Amino acid sequence: MKNILYITLFVFSFAAATATQAQEKIYTPAPENLKARQEFADSKLGIFIHWGIYSTFAQGEWYMQNAKIDKNEYAKVADAFYPHRFDAKAWVTAIKEAGARYICFTSRHHDSFSMWDTAESDYNIVDATPFGRDVIKELADECHRQGVKLHLYYSHLDWKRDEYPMGSTGKQVIGRDTTKTDWPAYYDFMNRQLTELLTNYGEIGAIWFDGWWDHEDDSIPFNWQLDEQYALIHSLQPQCLVGNNHHQVPFEGEDIQIFERDLPGENKAGYSGQDVSRLPLETCQTMNGMWGYKLVDQNYKSSKTLIQYLVSAAGKGANLLLNVGPQPNGEIPAAALQRLKEIGEWTRTYGESIYSTTAGDIPAQPWGVTTRKGNRLFVHIMNLDSKELALPLTCKVKRAVAFADKTPVKFKKTKNGIKLLFDKAPTGVDYIVELTTK
């Protein structure tokens, strides 16, 4: 009987100790972080910039792996990377005029090349190229001048450094020496680089991680030591948001939830079957088919499609992080600039219906979405072939007007809400009806 009691007490004590340790690891965001989360959620539009020496090949950001290139031969292209037309002011101005509130820039992609003056590797844009300029410094300075937040993408995986434990990708890259695998050394390297980025470039809005999925299929779960890395980021800049494109429900220590090529709750692209959390949401999407510059990919989505995707994201309470892939000379492609210009024309007129809103009362429908700001409910009609639209609402509607010109829109009460009545079926990219509710 005593043995049973001792065993019971031991199990109870062990469980209590484990619970205490778990509680100690619970992440409590700082007040500055909570404020930054709200600002992020209010932003609705950001621009993703995939740019590195891979743009020189004009074959997309995965060219090193897809073309089975020797890592040392690939590295030689750095000596020819001279983006003489790079202009941080022109980039930030075009992006700000599009209505975007933040930029997410690829500081280091899977090919291991660093786009800033890092002391941790000579394989960077200052030391390894004839260009010799720190583009992140120039971009950060211009973002701070123009009031645009700067987020930094950072790859967890690496196709060049031998210390990185090879995962499901990078196996086709020639020249990797797996006998030199050293995770502690690689982990320290990453953390020293992150410390540089969060120390030398002013306020950073977010660190956007990618690559966790490289070890998703390991037989023994891979320990990325994310808790310590996230804590480092928050200790250096408490307001800095942490996001991870791991296609999972957010992990402890993360401040935003990311969806790739899909709106929250959808999984058309195959990356986003995870549940939707209560954290601020962001979906990243390409303008054409690729993230990095690809010469033959001129299949750009129309401005109408992109605007409707932005509105649809807002209708789900999410931001759209819309990608552009600059050319090797440092210019944003003309087709992308044209899309940014047309999106800006829309946001200047209709942005109030998405900025600082939450997902509306009615979930996404075939005809469109809704967004809410206080007692104002915006009905975004993007696909309606009728002169009537029934809205299932529990709130009382006091007034309905067309957002564009504030002309009254007829409506009548129904058993389940109201029905909007139009003289003709709404047309255009996004016909917005503003409802004043009680």
Side-chain angles (χ1 to χ4, degrees), residues 46-52 54 61 86-88 90-92 95 102-109 115 135 139 143 148-153 284-285 291-293 321-327 330-333 340:
I47 298 299
F48 215 169
I49 298 177
H50 272 74
W51 195 45
Y54 47 79
E61 74 289 350
F86 169 70
D87 183 340
W91 278 22
V92 177
I95 288 167
Y102 62 97
I103 293 169
C104 185
F105 181 80
T106 48
S107 67
R108 190 177 76 98
H109 210 270
M115 295 292 283
V135 298
L139 196 57
C143 281
V148 175
K149 295 283 187 181
L150 178 62
H151 299 185
L152 295 174
Y153 169 109
C284 56
Q285 183 57 272
W291 300 101
Y293 180 67
L321 181 60
L322 182 62
N323 184 75
V324 299
Q327 298 165 171
E331 288 183 316
I332 295 175
L340 291 175

Side-chain angles (χ1 to χ4, degrees), residues 81-282:
F81 188 55
Y82 193 80
H84 61 289
R85 295 194 184 278
F86 169 70
D87 183 340
K89 183 177 180 180
W91 278 22
V92 177
T93 299
I95 288 167
K96 184 176 182 179
E97 288 180 352
R101 303 291 176 83
Y102 62 97
I103 293 169
C104 185
F105 181 80
T106 48
S107 67
R108 190 177 76 98
H109 210 270
H110 310 327
D111 66 354
S112 191
F113 189 79
S114 298
M115 295 292 283
W116 77 98
D117 187 17
T118 176
E120 300 305 321
S121 168
D122 291 336
Y123 195 47
N124 69 72
I125 194 167
V126 174
D127 297 320
T129 78
F131 189 59
R133 285 161 51 189
D134 187 335
V135 298
I136 289 186
K137 178 68 166 62
E138 294 180 29
L139 196 57
D141 289 347
E142 191 59 39
C143 281
H144 296 147
R145 271 193 290 269
Q146 295 201 36
V148 175
K149 295 283 187 181
L150 178 62
H151 299 185
L152 295 174
Y153 169 109
Y154 189 88
S155 174
H156 268 136
L157 70 89
D158 193 302
W159 292 331
K160 184 177 185 296
R161 298 183 72 90
D162 292 329
E163 311 97 282
Y164 173 72
M166 191 181 296
S168 59
T169 69
K171 294 176 181 178
Q172 299 183 65
V173 174
I174 299 169
R176 293 283 299 276
D177 186 349
T178 56
T179 66
K180 295 182 179 178
T181 296
D182 187 345
W183 167 251
Y186 180 71
Y187 184 70
D188 287 344
F189 160 76
M190 288 196 297
N191 287 340
R192 289 194 301 270
Q193 282 207 318
L194 289 166
T195 299
E196 286 181 339
L197 292 170
L198 291 165
T199 303
N200 301 332
Y201 297 91
E203 183 175 302
I204 300 300
I207 297 294
W208 205 100
F209 286 115
D210 193 21
W212 178 94
W213 34 262
D214 197 41
H215 283 280
E216 187 175 16
D217 298 326
D218 288 7
S219 56
I220 299 175
F222 187 81
N223 183 10
W224 288 99
Q225 295 178 259
L226 295 179
D227 287 349
E228 299 96 318
Q229 196 167 67
Y230 292 174
L232 170 67
I233 293 167
H234 290 134
S235 69
L236 292 169
Q237 293 199 25
Q239 89 297 332
C240 184
L241 305 175
V242 172
N244 197 324
N245 187 37
H246 45 46
H247 312 143
Q248 307 290 314
V249 174
F251 301 155
E252 190 74 18
E254 294 172 8
D255 303 298
I256 62 175
Q257 183 174 12
I258 297 167
F259 299 84
E260 181 176 351
R261 293 184 184 268
D262 262 310
L263 296 171
E266 298 181 3
N267 193 21
K268 297 175 183 176
Y271 302 118
S272 301
Q274 69 269 36
D275 291 338
V276 181
S277 74
R278 296 177 65 86
L279 291 176
L281 310 176
E282 177 187 75

Side-chain angles (χ1 to χ4, degrees), residues 50 60-61 261 285-302 305-306 322-326 333 335-336 339:
H50 272 74
E61 74 289 350
R261 293 184 184 268
Q285 183 57 272
T286 56
M287 275 197 187
N288 47 2
M290 297 295 294
W291 300 101
Y293 180 67
K294 187 173 183 179
L295 184 65
V296 298
D297 184 7
Q298 297 301 315
N299 188 28
Y300 281 80
K301 300 171 182 68
S302 68
T305 297
L306 296 173
L322 182 62
N323 184 75
V324 299
R339 301 306 188 277

Side-chain angles (χ1 to χ4, degrees), residues 304 307-308 310-312 346 350 353-354 367-369 371 378-383 403-404 426-433:
K304 176 181 177 180
I307 291 167
Q308 290 186 340
L310 167 63
V311 173
S312 297
W346 187 89
Y350 303 104
S353 69
I354 59 168
W367 51 260
V369 298
T371 56
F378 302 101
V379 182
H380 299 266
I381 303 170
M382 296 178 281
N383 181 33
F403 180 83
T427 58
V429 173
D430 178 20
Y431 185 87
I432 305 170
V433 177

Side-chain angles (χ1 to χ4, degrees), residues 42-45 98-101 347 351-357 373:
D42 289 342
S43 298
K44 293 302 181 268
L45 178 61
R101 303 291 176 83
T347 56
E352 188 183 1
S353 69
I354 59 168
Y355 295 130
S356 301
T357 64
K373 183 185 296 183

